[in-house]
Amino acid sequence: AAEGPSVVLPQTLCHGVMSELTEYLQRGSPAGTVLNYVEVSRSPPKVAIVADPSNFQATACALVLCKLLGQACWHDVAMSPGVVPRGEAPLAGATACVMVFSKGAVGQFDFTMAMYQAALHQLPILPIMSEEDFHVLSEQEVTEAVSLVLPALNTAGCVADSKALFSIVSQIFVEIAIRFAPQDGAFSADVLEAKATEVVQRLRGGVQTTKLEVSSELLAKAAAESARRIPL
């Protein structure tokens, strides 16, 4: 897939990063230096948080959510969260996935591939809505959204067609989505913390797994390709 604009994720969500994210979400323009913090080593997350890397606002929401989940689950290694950076092996070692949906996310290469990988590995997926006017996509909307990126997905090892991808979206939204929007003035710090606690409770209470609905032959091929590309 052609490389487009994207957000390089900071590896440490320190006070400086959080201040810049807050400034961006309040003012609606990229803070800038949030992209340049020194990277440090980290363990793969157990709760993989996925956002459209070309959407700064959605990525900022994901990072804020990650920070709050980390504070809520600091004592529970099995719930350690992390935002999946662009280009990394998605969801390797994860036991659950939180997907931050925004307009245009379905059809963006990295987000759609992560969604596919989560279904391939039958992970439970909890949907987050980062925008007030986001709506669950119809089959026609999914087909149109993925039409341009589908060849690149197939080249990267995705065996799903638009119908299978729509099935994944439909399965995800069987779960009631949680709205998490730090940019909304109605979302105070207390509300955001309560939403993060709700995410934790939902994940611990059990979120249904998502499955890739393709033929057994294609499923076997996809599993083999994934094992070759992404050691689990």
Side-chain angles (χ1 to χ4, degrees):
E3 290 289 328
S6 64
V7 179
V8 180
L9 301 181
Q11 298 295 334
T12 302
L13 292 180
C14 62
H15 178 72
V17 172
M18 298 309 294
S19 296
E20 291 189 18
L21 290 173
T22 301
E23 179 183 351
Y24 165 73
L25 289 169
Q26 290 174 345
R27 296 186 180 182
S29 59
T33 55
V34 71
L35 308 183
N36 299 317
Y37 277 80
V38 176
E39 294 188 359
V40 297
S41 61
R42 60 180 173 81
S43 301
K46 295 299 182 182
V47 177
I49 303 174
V50 177
D52 176 355
S54 67
N55 185 322
F56 198 100
Q57 180 172 288
T59 305
C61 288
L63 289 167
V64 172
L65 178 58
C66 182
K67 178 70 171 180
L68 294 177
L69 291 181
Q71 291 175 343
C73 302
W74 64 269
H75 59 291
D76 188 353
V77 176
M79 290 287 290
S80 61
V83 180
V84 178
R86 182 177 200 167
E88 276 200 11
L91 316 177
T95 56
C97 182
V98 173
M99 302 207 75
V100 180
F101 283 84
S102 56
K103 286 179 290 186
V106 177
Q108 193 279 332
F109 178 85
D110 302 271
F111 187 90
T112 308
M113 178 58 88
M115 187 175 70
Y116 162 80
Q117 286 284 343
L120 176 62
H121 297 301
Q122 298 188 18
L123 291 178
I125 300 176
L126 182 63
I128 301 294
M129 298 174 68
S130 64
E131 299 168 346
E132 184 176 7
D133 56 351
F134 178 84
H135 66 277
V136 181
L137 302 179
S138 67
E139 183 169 6
Q140 180 178 349
E141 288 174 318
V142 170
T143 299
E144 292 174 354
V146 303
S147 60
L148 294 179
V149 77
L150 198 55
L153 290 171
N154 294 153
T155 299
C158 171
V159 301
D161 57 12
S162 59
K163 184 175 181 180
L165 292 173
F166 171 67
S167 173
I168 294 172
V169 173
S170 298
Q171 291 177 65
I172 291 172
F173 281 98
V174 167
E175 294 289 336
I176 297 175
I178 296 174
R179 184 156 181 257
F180 186 87
Q183 72 277 12
D184 189 325
F187 278 69
S188 64
D190 288 341
V191 171
L192 292 173
E193 289 177 2
K195 290 287 185 179
T197 299
E198 183 182 355
V199 170
V200 173
Q201 291 172 342
R202 291 277 298 279
L203 290 173
R204 286 179 173 160
V207 176
Q208 78 162 19
T209 57
T210 308
K211 298 181 180 180
L212 178 60
E213 295 183 348
V214 295
S215 70
S216 56
E217 291 81 5
L218 284 177
L219 196 59
K221 176 183 177 183
E225 180 70 11
S226 178
R228 184 180 71 83
R229 292 171 178 263
I230 306 172
L232 297 177

